[in-house]
Amino acid sequence: MDPFTRRTALRVAAAGTAGLAVTVPGIAGASVAADQARQRAFAAAAAEFGVPEQVLLGVSYLKSRWDYNAGTPSTGAGFGPMHLTDLRAVAAGGSHHDKGSEDPRGDLARATLHPAEPQQAAPAPTLQTVDLAAELTGANPAALRTDPTQNIRGGAAVLAQYQRELGITSDNPADWYGAVARYSGATDSTAAAFFADEVFGTITGGAGRVTDDGQSVRLDAQQVSPARGQLRSLGLPAAARGDVEAPPDVSAEWIPAPYQQTGDGAGDYGNYDKAERPQSQQVTHIVIHDTECSYDAALALVQDPTYLGWHYTLRSSDGHIAQHIQTKDVGWHAGNWYVNAKSIGVEHEGFGAQGTWYTEAMYRTSAKLVRYLADRYGIPLDRRHIIGHDNVPGTIPSTVAGMHWDPGPYWDWGHYFDLLGAPLRSWARQNTGLVMIKPDFATNRPGFTDCDTAGAACTLRGSSAVILHTEPRDDAPLLQDLGLHPDGSPSTMGVSDVGSRASTGQQYAVAEVRGDWTAIWYLGQKGWFRSSAAVPALGQVVTPKPGLATVPVYGRAYPEAEAYPANIPPQDLTPLQYTFAAGQKYVAGPVLPGEYYWATTFDPSTHVVVRGKTEYVQIQFGHRVAYVKADDVVVGRP
């Protein structure tokens, strides 16, 4: 182990925060050869503007982990290591629920729900720190967005200006608490304090890593007791925590979604369904989303009774949490009613098409929230239960193509599970017949298209996605996904096309190995990828029962028709358009009951959970999960 890595590892051990405080270098050997230019840029900017270097490094870490991100915006309209914000540069209207044909409710017993596209609000001043940085430094906004050195200068200048406005002159890091809190962009004291506390926690614990563009940066641990009393000088109101369900050490508030009638009919209401989970149904999954709109726009939408509802929204700049629906109730968010009825939906402020990285502040609070919810509901911390919206299956063949793809291939699942305190490690000591997808996020840079302009190449950047091919070579075609491409054409490298793509933490059964290539079973086909992008995994697989040539694959785990009361129409058990044939294997997820939540009217006293005798096994069938009847398959070792 080289000295830098050893020192960093010691700081990790000393921090003792279950993976929440620091990150060790992520590129093997890079800590030796990495450039020191960014470290020098922080030192120079700190000296130029009179900001303690530890403070500048700590703020940047909580925003970007010191990454450059190729000069592209975060999902919260922030640029560069200091996350200088410029909403004008990434303005977008609507949310991801307005795009495509997905019905967010996903209940075929009710009329299709297609929310109208809302109007995007004007940028808030707190989302235009690029302007202030340009005024203070003389650099033009383009340079502040795309040149990391100028970006760091801009961030230092903004911090120094905030300190001057507080009337404090000091080179002691402890005296910069108020300026750091203001830099968060928070509009309430609770969120501002949370951000500042995380920054000073990082200063106390230390951090070190190699950035996405090969820069070696470190923050040596220093014991600091910040002047938290400065928070009062910002004049920010306290957040109304109210009935929020969240850990006590995060910034969270209760901003309720309305449950009210919107018309004369019993089924005209919004924008979620009352329930009594977990007494009525077990909560088995947490679904990770991004909003495709600003945080403020998302709040306006979720408070509109004609729109739809999810449980939580997280703000990018500081990780602040707003809860809208009690977790006992069922949100309309995942596009699949079975999944909705058994999940909690967590939205993250983001523009998936234009902004493609997520702030460390938001990753941290999201991980704390999800870990809290998982503990509360007994949800395992793995990729079978903590899933993206892009992993939710279509309900029937006609809905597959319209399903959404957020949070997208740039969500760092490996880092997220580190923060959850459940690292995606391989416990297998030898090949097991199963693999867990685990590319190196920083160096794994698929050539996606269509991020900003149709047909145009996306900026190459780190990704959790591994691309699958029909043969063991890089120039082989991608796999077919008959749900997304009914004409049988291959999948594409479009950023939203998940038809030939596996993701970090997902597990698959090995179909074949040739040299340094591995094939996995995927949507009824063999999908090939470089073996270095996966590690052996432990688990069980499902195979068709002897004598069955194929078994149906479903997008929802509904009960048999005989289970429904006379007043509730049975929901069709319609298989998806894929083939699961004898000889194929898929990794087994949880065994789930056949259930349907009948909740088609405003009066919750009429809501009924229909339970049958049929059980299902969730499987990792493609990029999305799917369900097979337990009676159709054998569950066992690979």
Side-chain angles (χ1 to χ4, degrees), residues 535-573:
V535 294
L538 299 175
Q540 294 184 306
V541 298
V542 298
T543 56
K545 277 191 173 178
L548 295 178
T550 63
V551 299
V553 176
Y554 299 92
R556 50 192 188 172
Y558 279 175
E560 65 279 4
E562 296 76 16
Y564 289 80
N567 64 318
I568 298 178
Q571 300 298 298
D572 291 336
L573 293 177

Side-chain angles (χ1 to χ4, degrees), residues 174-178 181 189 193-194 196-201 204 223-234:
D175 293 330
W176 285 71
Y177 187 87
S189 61
F194 174 82
D197 286 343
E198 290 288 308
V199 168
F200 281 93
T204 298
Q223 189 63 42
V224 177
S225 298
R228 291 186 171 87
Q230 293 178 1
L231 187 67
R232 292 190 294 271
S233 300
L234 301 183

Side-chain angles (χ1 to χ4, degrees), residues 227-285:
R228 291 186 171 87
Q230 293 178 1
L231 187 67
R232 292 190 294 271
S233 300
L234 301 183
L236 296 174
R241 193 170 177 99
D243 296 326
V244 70
E245 301 165 282
D249 62 339
V250 301
S251 170
E253 64 180 314
W254 174 246
I255 301 178
Y259 185 74
Q260 66 184 62
Q261 290 189 286
T262 57
D264 296 331
D268 298 331
Y269 66 97
N271 50 13
Y272 63 96
D273 279 298
K274 294 285 189 179
E276 292 296 335
R277 304 184 304 178
Q279 289 78 16
S280 56
Q281 284 186 282
Q282 290 297 311
V283 178
T284 56
H285 292 72

Side-chain angles (χ1 to χ4, degrees), residues 446-489:
F448 294 120
T449 62
D450 308 323
C451 286
D452 297 301
T453 305
C458 300
T459 301
L460 291 178
R461 63 191 318 113
S463 173
S464 291
V466 170
I467 306 304
L468 305 177
H469 299 268
T470 54
E471 298 179 48
R473 64 175 202 273
D474 292 317
D475 61 350
L478 305 188
L479 303 183
Q480 295 179 349
D481 184 332
L482 292 177
L484 300 180
H485 305 280
D487 60 358
S489 59

Side-chain angles (χ1 to χ4, degrees), residues 154-313:
V158 170
L159 270 170
Q161 177 65 21
Y162 291 165
Q163 185 77 340
R164 283 192 295 272
E165 291 177 3
L166 288 173
I168 300 172
T169 302
S170 174
D171 58 3
N172 183 348
D175 293 330
W176 285 71
Y177 187 87
V180 170
R182 184 173 174 187
Y183 197 94
S184 69
T187 56
D188 64 80
S189 61
T190 309
F194 174 82
F195 179 85
D197 286 343
E198 290 288 308
V199 168
F200 281 93
T202 301
I203 293 172
T204 298
R209 66 185 298 267
V210 175
T211 67
D212 60 347
D213 54 343
Q215 297 287 321
S216 179
V217 184
R218 73 184 186 192
L219 168 59
D220 289 327
Q222 176 180 344
Q223 189 63 42
V224 177
S225 298
R228 291 186 171 87
Q230 293 178 1
L231 187 67
R232 292 190 294 271
S233 300
L234 301 183
L236 296 174
R241 193 170 177 99
D243 296 326
V244 70
E245 301 165 282
D249 62 339
V250 301
S251 170
E253 64 180 314
W254 174 246
I255 301 178
Y259 185 74
Q260 66 184 62
Q261 290 189 286
T262 57
D264 296 331
D268 298 331
Y269 66 97
N271 50 13
Y272 63 96
D273 279 298
K274 294 285 189 179
E276 292 296 335
R277 304 184 304 178
Q279 289 78 16
S280 56
Q281 284 186 282
Q282 290 297 311
V283 178
T284 56
H285 292 72
I286 297 173
V287 182
I288 303 298
H289 302 258
D290 78 29
T291 60
E292 289 300 314
C293 64
S294 71
Y295 175 82
D296 289 340
L299 296 192
L301 294 173
V302 80
Q303 294 176 85
D304 178 353
T306 66
Y307 202 64
L308 53 109
W310 51 90
H311 294 87
Y312 297 91
T313 304

